Amino acid sequence: PSLNIKLDVNGIVQVKTATSGTRKYRITDSVTGQYFDMGVSISSSQPNLTFSDGADERLRIDSSGNLGVGTTTPDGKVDIAAPQTTSNKFTSPHLALTATSQSNSEGFTGISYASATITNYGWTVGATRSTGGDGSSHFTFRNHMNSASGNEFLRISSSGHVLPGADDTYDLGSTSLQWRNIYTGDLH
């Protein structure tokens, strides 16, 4: 049937079922008949917000606020579960951080790890675009001590070199934490 009904509610819209189970809203494409469900499922007496493409659940927010993608039992605040790929493809990772614009001079796409509840304390790791705009990038590790830009401690260059963040500043190991063996083809 073709219905042109609008729902305008000032309050709470409630969907109930006569028996226990998943309560859901279904959004259907009227041409193809394909649909997507958003619902509330009960697990161990706790509600979970679920999103599915009909046959398979794709995303879940559990009662603890954990987000699961590809899993119905997220183990952390964000848990992404997918089979391993058989090749190291850039185009099929479990998690992709994609820049929506670029800067040809030291653009950065990465992850921050906060070590305090206040801003600008912790570490960032990620891809830093090289200056000059040739498209190459480095993988950088930065420490932030009350600094948004932080200090670069380590860089893996686009040519595969492992470099310190600054010349003649950082050590490899210390007097109390030493590397057992270092293998090189040539030591300069």
Side-chain angles (χ1 to χ4, degrees):
S2 177
L3 300 174
N4 290 320
I5 300 173
K6 294 181 179 178
L7 180 63
D8 186 1
V9 177
N10 185 5
I12 297 174
V13 174
Q14 193 171 40
V15 176
K16 291 184 175 183
T17 58
T19 60
S20 65
T22 300
R23 289 102 171 136
K24 58 187 167 186
Y25 297 97
R26 177 166 286 173
I27 302 169
T28 305
D29 183 303
S30 61
V31 177
T32 65
Q34 294 179 337
Y35 60 91
F36 200 84
D37 290 332
M38 179 180 77
V40 175
S41 67
I42 305 299
S43 175
S44 301
S45 300
Q46 298 296 317
N48 301 290
L49 180 60
T50 62
F51 297 85
S52 64
D53 63 0
D56 297 311
E57 183 178 309
R58 300 298 181 182
L59 186 139
R60 169 181 294 239
I61 302 172
D62 70 14
S63 59
S64 297
N66 296 334
L67 172 69
V69 179
T71 179
T72 59
T73 55
D75 286 329
K77 286 299 176 190
V78 177
D79 187 347
I80 300 171
Q84 287 186 331
T85 58
T86 56
S87 62
N88 295 323
K89 293 187 178 179
F90 185 78
T91 55
S92 57
H94 283 68
L95 174 65
L97 302 179
T98 304
T100 58
S101 64
Q102 71 184 35
S103 169
N104 285 333
S105 178
E106 298 291 320
F108 178 76
T109 303
I111 299 173
S112 65
Y113 299 87
S115 61
T117 57
I118 55 178
T119 307
N120 296 331
Y121 285 88
W123 287 85
T124 54
V125 295
T128 302
R129 190 171 171 85
S130 300
T131 56
D134 64 357
S136 64
S137 65
H138 311 294
F139 195 78
T140 58
F141 297 78
R142 290 183 170 276
N143 182 262
H144 302 265
M145 290 290 293
N146 197 22
S147 166
S149 59
N151 292 317
E152 184 178 318
F153 274 58
L154 183 71
R155 171 181 293 212
I156 302 172
S157 72
S158 58
S159 57
H161 297 129
V162 178
L163 306 168
D167 190 35
D168 202 23
T169 303
Y170 303 111
D171 298 323
L172 187 59
S174 68
T175 57
S176 60
L177 293 170
Q178 301 172 359
W179 294 92
R180 187 180 71 185
N181 293 308
I182 298 175
Y183 298 92
T184 66
D186 191 10
L187 188 59
H188 296 280

